[in-house]
Amino acid sequence: MSLARLWESLLPIGREDPAGGYRRYAFTQAEMACRSWFRAAAAERDLAVSADRNANLWAWWDPPAGDCAPGAIVTGSHLDSVPDGGAFDGPLGVASGFAAIDLLRERGRVPARAVAVAAFCEEEGARFGLACLGSRLLTGAQDPAAARALRDGAGVTLAEAMTAAGYDPALIGPDEDLLGGIGAFVELHVEQGRALAEPPGAAIGIAAGIWPHGRWRFEFTGQADHAGTARLAGRRDPMLPFAATALAARECAGSLGTLATFGKIAAEPGGVNAISSSVRAWLDARAPDQDGLDLTVIRIHAAAEHAARRHGVALSVAPESLTPPVGFDPELRDRIAAVLGAAGIDAPVLATGAGHDAGVLAARMPTAMLFVRNPSGVSHAPAEHAEPADCELGVIALAAVLEDLACR
Ligand code: GLV
Ligand code: MN
Ligand code: MN
């Protein structure tokens, strides 16, 4: 199967060291190399490749000239990563899209409507903070002017990064022509928890929906001072209310049956022998429903305010990325379940707390997701894994779905 070759050629790009994770941040050298890989894979298959106005990549398998039914079927995922991310989150869906087209061609199938493999830009939001930026811009879910002004950790704006990478930031925004031509989107993705790995287990799953989730930036501002001379009593140390807030987040999520994580903090100015002037910390919160998510964030915010007051520290909280609950198209989901059933692939339906471009596109078109088992149950970390045989079954499943939706 062509998946192995595609995979081997992508694997070295952006890996920090052979045992380490990936750093493929939007418009950096590593992510641009992933884009070149995408273009080469498309060219090798004679697929017409283009970048849309939001720097998402598309590779088109067109029906014979003059014989194209409306409503393209799009598959794909993303090529960017979180800091020290795993190999599979995103790239598996893109590589599987190319491999599924190879399989259909080997079987002599011809598309009746266009089929595309897409790679969406900045899905993780690891550089500019906003998850699924490319699909949000494409669908009009994100204001283009606000997006252009987003800054990375070094202060570089999205507009500057796009320009440096050869994309025109003036063009970003909704693309109704492109969206209007798409009939459905099916994203294949590595499963990111233990849902398929635990008994009864299955190699392939189908998504029911995505939990609502979001990111909030907490900024605690105190008073910088000398660690060796400032008396404890007079200190306004922003690290202390942050620490109390991180503990409160864990307790609050535990009691509400939700998830709350502080995975990134920045202490300024960062001296070992000084009290910080400020601590910025990013909360990632997720829940099975919107009420649970809202309550989680309200309670964590209240705990942060209480702790900040106690320590004489100022607090500001701002949302950076909000994603409402998503239920995938039930008709498409049932159709996919029937196709996989007919192919002898048992695929349970499961919800996920992980975000995906499919969740954003679901607001504009019938959308579905296939999951491939992850025996480690770990994701957003180097231990993320999928066995080659499961990945190949994923390609077979995806090919069956594309054949059903797009071929004669
Ligand atoms: C993306 O993978 C997310 O769930 O944050
Ligand atoms: Mn991810
Ligand atoms: Mn992903």
Side-chain angles (χ1 to χ4, degrees):
M1 189 177 275
S2 60
L3 182 66
R5 212 162 57 80
L6 281 158
W7 198 244
E8 286 308 313
S9 59
L10 182 58
L11 220 47
I13 302 175
R15 187 164 48 187
E16 285 303 297
D17 67 65
Y22 288 85
R23 296 185 186 174
R24 293 167 172 165
Y25 309 140
F27 306 119
T28 60
Q29 213 177 6
E31 197 252 10
M32 295 304 284
C34 290
R35 289 171 178 269
S36 300
W37 170 89
F38 182 99
R39 288 179 179 279
E44 208 180 310
R45 289 164 176 78
D46 251 335
L47 306 176
V49 67
S50 56
D52 67 20
R53 52 198 292 184
N54 298 299
N56 305 308
L57 297 177
W58 302 76
W60 293 95
W61 182 26
D62 289 317
D67 192 14
C68 184
I73 304 302
V74 180
T75 188
S77 189
H78 60 97
L79 295 170
D80 64 312
S81 79
V82 297
D84 287 341
F88 297 82
D89 177 357
L92 183 63
V94 179
S96 297
F98 286 124
I101 289 176
D102 291 346
L103 193 56
L104 290 172
R105 280 174 160 168
E106 273 164 40
R107 293 179 184 159
R109 301 295 187 270
V110 176
R113 45 176 48 83
V115 174
V117 181
F120 290 99
C121 182
E122 177 76 334
E123 189 272 353
E124 300 288 7
R127 182 164 182 192
F128 293 102
L130 186 52
C132 299
L133 182 59
S135 53
R136 282 184 205 261
L137 285 165
L138 169 65
T139 55
Q142 170 60 36
D143 173 57
R148 275 189 286 271
L150 289 169
R151 287 184 189 276
D152 70 8
V156 177
T157 64
L158 176 72
E160 289 163 349
M162 287 186 78
T163 304
Y167 294 96
D168 184 353
L171 298 178
I172 66 172
D175 192 333
E176 293 302 331
D177 285 348
L178 180 55
L179 284 174
I182 302 174
F185 177 62
V186 181
E187 179 170 359
L188 179 146
H189 204 279
V190 69
E191 212 279 307
Q192 294 179 274
R194 304 204 55 82
L196 296 173
E198 281 170 356
I204 306 296
I206 302 173
I210 300 178
W211 285 13
H213 55 282
R215 301 174 182 185
W216 292 261
R217 191 181 64 250
F218 284 57
E219 180 130 17
F220 299 91
T221 307
Q223 173 64 57
D225 207 335
H226 194 297
T229 58
R231 292 195 182 124
L232 289 179
R235 291 185 180 195
R236 292 169 48 220
D237 182 350
M239 192 60 80
L240 301 178
F242 161 66
T245 305
L247 293 173
R250 172 61 197 246
E251 278 205 17
C252 166
S255 67
L256 291 173
T258 61
L259 297 170
T261 308
F262 281 99
K264 174 177 170 182
I265 65 167
E268 302 290 349
V272 177
N273 52 355
I275 297 164
S276 300
S277 56
S278 75
V279 171
R280 275 195 308 282
W282 284 261
L283 169 69
D284 178 305
R286 310 187 187 217
D289 56 52
Q290 192 65 47
D291 286 350
L293 179 62
D294 294 345
L295 193 55
T296 301
V297 177
I298 286 169
R299 285 199 187 166
I300 296 170
H301 192 162
E305 270 182 344
H306 177 77
R309 249 193 324 274
R310 211 180 126 220
H311 291 281
V313 164
L315 171 69
S316 70
V317 179
E320 281 200 346
S321 180
L322 300 173
T323 306
V326 173
F328 289 115
D329 187 82
E331 214 174 294
L332 182 59
R333 189 171 69 222
D334 291 349
R335 182 166 171 174
I336 288 175
V339 167
L340 298 191
I345 300 170
D346 168 41
V349 175
L350 39 118
T352 179
H356 301 285
D357 293 301
V360 175
L361 293 168
R364 299 298 304 274
M365 64 188 69
T367 302
M369 289 190 74
L370 297 177
F371 292 125
V372 173
R373 171 167 51 199
N374 173 0
S376 73
V378 174
S379 187
H380 283 181
E384 179 183 275
H385 186 63
E387 290 294 333
D390 288 352
C391 294
E392 289 187 4
L393 192 62
V395 172
I396 290 167
L398 182 60
V401 170
L402 297 181
E403 178 175 5
D404 175 62
L405 294 173
C407 295
R408 294 186 196 290

PDB file of all heavy atoms in Angstrom, residues 238-258:
ATOM      1  N   PRO A 238       2.652  37.110  41.544  1.00  0.00           N
ATOM      2  CA  PRO A 238       1.583  36.577  40.678  1.00  0.00           C
ATOM      3  C   PRO A 238       1.629  35.055  40.515  1.00  0.00           C
ATOM      4  O   PRO A 238       0.658  34.441  40.075  1.00  0.00           O
ATOM      5  CB  PRO A 238       1.838  37.281  39.337  1.00  0.00           C
ATOM      6  CG  PRO A 238       3.287  37.632  39.356  1.00  0.00           C
ATOM      7  CD  PRO A 238       3.648  37.898  40.787  1.00  0.00           C
ATOM      8  N   MET A 239       2.775  34.461  40.885  1.00  0.00           N
ATOM      9  CA  MET A 239       2.873  33.000  40.752  1.00  0.00           C
ATOM     10  C   MET A 239       1.921  32.299  41.732  1.00  0.00           C
ATOM     11  O   MET A 239       1.434  31.197  41.450  1.00  0.00           O
ATOM     12  CB  MET A 239       4.315  32.569  41.018  1.00  0.00           C
ATOM     13  CG  MET A 239       4.633  31.139  40.629  1.00  0.00           C
ATOM     14  SD  MET A 239       4.378  30.807  38.880  1.00  0.00           S
ATOM     15  CE  MET A 239       5.889  31.476  38.177  1.00  0.00           C
ATOM     16  N   LEU A 240       1.657  32.947  42.859  1.00  0.00           N
ATOM     17  CA  LEU A 240       0.857  32.279  43.900  1.00  0.00           C
ATOM     18  C   LEU A 240      -0.615  32.153  43.505  1.00  0.00           C
ATOM     19  O   LEU A 240      -1.177  31.052  43.580  1.00  0.00           O
ATOM     20  CB  LEU A 240       1.033  32.996  45.236  1.00  0.00           C
ATOM     21  CG  LEU A 240       2.499  33.040  45.702  1.00  0.00           C
ATOM     22  CD1 LEU A 240       2.623  33.801  47.000  1.00  0.00           C
ATOM     23  CD2 LEU A 240       3.059  31.636  45.849  1.00  0.00           C
ATOM     24  N   PRO A 241      -1.272  33.239  43.059  1.00  0.00           N
ATOM     25  CA  PRO A 241      -2.656  33.043  42.602  1.00  0.00           C
ATOM     26  C   PRO A 241      -2.733  32.132  41.371  1.00  0.00           C
ATOM     27  O   PRO A 241      -3.711  31.408  41.194  1.00  0.00           O
ATOM     28  CB  PRO A 241      -3.155  34.458  42.289  1.00  0.00           C
ATOM     29  CG  PRO A 241      -1.947  35.319  42.238  1.00  0.00           C
ATOM     30  CD  PRO A 241      -0.896  34.664  43.083  1.00  0.00           C
ATOM     31  N   PHE A 242      -1.684  32.176  40.518  1.00  0.00           N
ATOM     32  CA  PHE A 242      -1.722  31.232  39.395  1.00  0.00           C
ATOM     33  C   PHE A 242      -1.717  29.797  39.911  1.00  0.00           C
ATOM     34  O   PHE A 242      -2.506  28.950  39.461  1.00  0.00           O
ATOM     35  CB  PHE A 242      -0.545  31.428  38.425  1.00  0.00           C
ATOM     36  CG  PHE A 242      -0.359  30.202  37.578  1.00  0.00           C
ATOM     37  CD1 PHE A 242      -1.337  29.832  36.659  1.00  0.00           C
ATOM     38  CD2 PHE A 242       0.727  29.360  37.770  1.00  0.00           C
ATOM     39  CE1 PHE A 242      -1.231  28.649  35.934  1.00  0.00           C
ATOM     40  CE2 PHE A 242       0.836  28.177  37.051  1.00  0.00           C
ATOM     41  CZ  PHE A 242      -0.144  27.819  36.133  1.00  0.00           C
ATOM     42  N   ALA A 243      -0.827  29.509  40.888  1.00  0.00           N
ATOM     43  CA  ALA A 243      -0.740  28.137  41.425  1.00  0.00           C
ATOM     44  C   ALA A 243      -2.078  27.722  42.030  1.00  0.00           C
ATOM     45  O   ALA A 243      -2.566  26.601  41.796  1.00  0.00           O
ATOM     46  CB  ALA A 243       0.366  28.056  42.473  1.00  0.00           C
ATOM     47  N   ALA A 244      -2.716  28.639  42.773  1.00  0.00           N
ATOM     48  CA  ALA A 244      -4.021  28.332  43.380  1.00  0.00           C
ATOM     49  C   ALA A 244      -5.058  28.066  42.286  1.00  0.00           C
ATOM     50  O   ALA A 244      -5.916  27.182  42.420  1.00  0.00           O
ATOM     51  CB  ALA A 244      -4.466  29.488  44.263  1.00  0.00           C
ATOM     52  N   THR A 245      -4.961  28.814  41.186  1.00  0.00           N
ATOM     53  CA  THR A 245      -5.935  28.654  40.100  1.00  0.00           C
ATOM     54  C   THR A 245      -5.753  27.312  39.395  1.00  0.00           C
ATOM     55  O   THR A 245      -6.726  26.645  39.021  1.00  0.00           O
ATOM     56  CB  THR A 245      -5.777  29.814  39.086  1.00  0.00           C
ATOM     57  OG1 THR A 245      -5.894  31.044  39.792  1.00  0.00           O
ATOM     58  CG2 THR A 245      -6.830  29.747  37.992  1.00  0.00           C
ATOM     59  N   ALA A 246      -4.497  26.903  39.216  1.00  0.00           N
ATOM     60  CA  ALA A 246      -4.240  25.602  38.562  1.00  0.00           C
ATOM     61  C   ALA A 246      -4.807  24.466  39.410  1.00  0.00           C
ATOM     62  O   ALA A 246      -5.420  23.525  38.875  1.00  0.00           O
ATOM     63  CB  ALA A 246      -2.743  25.420  38.338  1.00  0.00           C
ATOM     64  N   LEU A 247      -4.662  24.573  40.720  1.00  0.00           N
ATOM     65  CA  LEU A 247      -5.217  23.531  41.597  1.00  0.00           C
ATOM     66  C   LEU A 247      -6.745  23.575  41.584  1.00  0.00           C
ATOM     67  O   LEU A 247      -7.413  22.535  41.563  1.00  0.00           O
ATOM     68  CB  LEU A 247      -4.688  23.720  43.026  1.00  0.00           C
ATOM     69  CG  LEU A 247      -3.185  23.462  43.187  1.00  0.00           C
ATOM     70  CD1 LEU A 247      -2.731  23.845  44.588  1.00  0.00           C
ATOM     71  CD2 LEU A 247      -2.851  21.998  42.909  1.00  0.00           C
ATOM     72  N   ALA A 248      -7.289  24.789  41.576  1.00  0.00           N
ATOM     73  CA  ALA A 248      -8.756  24.929  41.549  1.00  0.00           C
ATOM     74  C   ALA A 248      -9.318  24.350  40.251  1.00  0.00           C
ATOM     75  O   ALA A 248     -10.389  23.736  40.238  1.00  0.00           O
ATOM     76  CB  ALA A 248      -9.142  26.400  41.678  1.00  0.00           C
ATOM     77  N   ALA A 249      -8.593  24.530  39.149  1.00  0.00           N
ATOM     78  CA  ALA A 249      -9.060  24.017  37.854  1.00  0.00           C
ATOM     79  C   ALA A 249      -9.184  22.495  37.908  1.00  0.00           C
ATOM     80  O   ALA A 249     -10.174  21.911  37.452  1.00  0.00           O
ATOM     81  CB  ALA A 249      -8.096  24.433  36.748  1.00  0.00           C
ATOM     82  N   ARG A 250      -8.196  21.869  38.498  1.00  0.00           N
ATOM     83  CA  ARG A 250      -8.224  20.405  38.600  1.00  0.00           C
ATOM     84  C   ARG A 250      -9.424  19.943  39.459  1.00  0.00           C
ATOM     85  O   ARG A 250     -10.153  19.027  39.094  1.00  0.00           O
ATOM     86  CB  ARG A 250      -6.896  19.928  39.187  1.00  0.00           C
ATOM     87  CG  ARG A 250      -6.821  18.462  39.547  1.00  0.00           C
ATOM     88  CD  ARG A 250      -7.033  17.585  38.326  1.00  0.00           C
ATOM     89  NE  ARG A 250      -7.353  16.238  38.713  1.00  0.00           N
ATOM     90  CZ  ARG A 250      -6.581  15.186  38.495  1.00  0.00           C
ATOM     91  NH1 ARG A 250      -5.461  15.315  37.834  1.00  0.00           N
ATOM     92  NH2 ARG A 250      -6.941  13.994  38.880  1.00  0.00           N
ATOM     93  N   GLU A 251      -9.606  20.618  40.573  1.00  0.00           N
ATOM     94  CA  GLU A 251     -10.700  20.238  41.485  1.00  0.00           C
ATOM     95  C   GLU A 251     -12.056  20.481  40.851  1.00  0.00           C
ATOM     96  O   GLU A 251     -12.965  19.649  40.949  1.00  0.00           O
ATOM     97  CB  GLU A 251     -10.599  21.079  42.755  1.00  0.00           C
ATOM     98  CG  GLU A 251      -9.591  20.488  43.690  1.00  0.00           C
ATOM     99  CD  GLU A 251      -9.871  20.878  45.137  1.00  0.00           C
ATOM    100  OE1 GLU A 251     -11.001  21.321  45.441  1.00  0.00           O
ATOM    101  OE2 GLU A 251      -8.950  20.726  45.901  1.00  0.00           O
ATOM    102  N   CYS A 252     -12.171  21.605  40.201  1.00  0.00           N
ATOM    103  CA  CYS A 252     -13.441  21.998  39.586  1.00  0.00           C
ATOM    104  C   CYS A 252     -13.811  21.013  38.467  1.00  0.00           C
ATOM    105  O   CYS A 252     -14.939  20.529  38.390  1.00  0.00           O
ATOM    106  CB  CYS A 252     -13.247  23.407  39.061  1.00  0.00           C
ATOM    107  SG  CYS A 252     -14.496  23.926  37.969  1.00  0.00           S
ATOM    108  N   ALA A 253     -12.833  20.686  37.615  1.00  0.00           N
ATOM    109  CA  ALA A 253     -13.099  19.730  36.537  1.00  0.00           C
ATOM    110  C   ALA A 253     -13.476  18.369  37.121  1.00  0.00           C
ATOM    111  O   ALA A 253     -14.398  17.702  36.636  1.00  0.00           O
ATOM    112  CB  ALA A 253     -11.888  19.615  35.622  1.00  0.00           C
ATOM    113  N   GLY A 254     -12.783  17.988  38.176  1.00  0.00           N
ATOM    114  CA  GLY A 254     -13.082  16.705  38.811  1.00  0.00           C
ATOM    115  C   GLY A 254     -14.500  16.650  39.337  1.00  0.00           C
ATOM    116  O   GLY A 254     -15.204  15.651  39.177  1.00  0.00           O
ATOM    117  N   SER A 255     -14.951  17.742  39.925  1.00  0.00           N
ATOM    118  CA  SER A 255     -16.289  17.704  40.523  1.00  0.00           C
ATOM    119  C   SER A 255     -17.387  17.855  39.469  1.00  0.00           C
ATOM    120  O   SER A 255     -18.498  17.379  39.666  1.00  0.00           O
ATOM    121  CB  SER A 255     -16.429  18.758  41.618  1.00  0.00           C
ATOM    122  OG  SER A 255     -16.371  20.035  41.037  1.00  0.00           O
ATOM    123  N   LEU A 256     -17.083  18.472  38.339  1.00  0.00           N
ATOM    124  CA  LEU A 256     -18.126  18.676  37.325  1.00  0.00           C
ATOM    125  C   LEU A 256     -18.103  17.617  36.216  1.00  0.00           C
ATOM    126  O   LEU A 256     -18.963  17.615  35.336  1.00  0.00           O
ATOM    127  CB  LEU A 256     -17.957  20.060  36.675  1.00  0.00           C
ATOM    128  CG  LEU A 256     -18.247  21.276  37.565  1.00  0.00           C
ATOM    129  CD1 LEU A 256     -17.866  22.562  36.847  1.00  0.00           C
ATOM    130  CD2 LEU A 256     -19.729  21.306  37.948  1.00  0.00           C
ATOM    131  N   GLY A 257     -17.105  16.755  36.224  1.00  0.00           N
ATOM    132  CA  GLY A 257     -17.002  15.766  35.141  1.00  0.00           C
ATOM    133  C   GLY A 257     -16.584  16.410  33.833  1.00  0.00           C
ATOM    134  O   GLY A 257     -17.020  16.009  32.747  1.00  0.00           O
ATOM    135  N   THR A 258     -15.750  17.443  33.927  1.00  0.00           N
ATOM    136  CA  THR A 258     -15.257  18.128  32.727  1.00  0.00           C
ATOM    137  C   THR A 258     -13.729  18.031  32.710  1.00  0.00           C
ATOM    138  O   THR A 258     -13.139  17.299  33.504  1.00  0.00           O
ATOM    139  CB  THR A 258     -15.715  19.606  32.743  1.00  0.00           C
ATOM    140  OG1 THR A 258     -15.164  20.246  33.907  1.00  0.00           O
ATOM    141  CG2 THR A 258     -17.236  19.707  32.794  1.00  0.00           C
TER     142      THR A 258
END
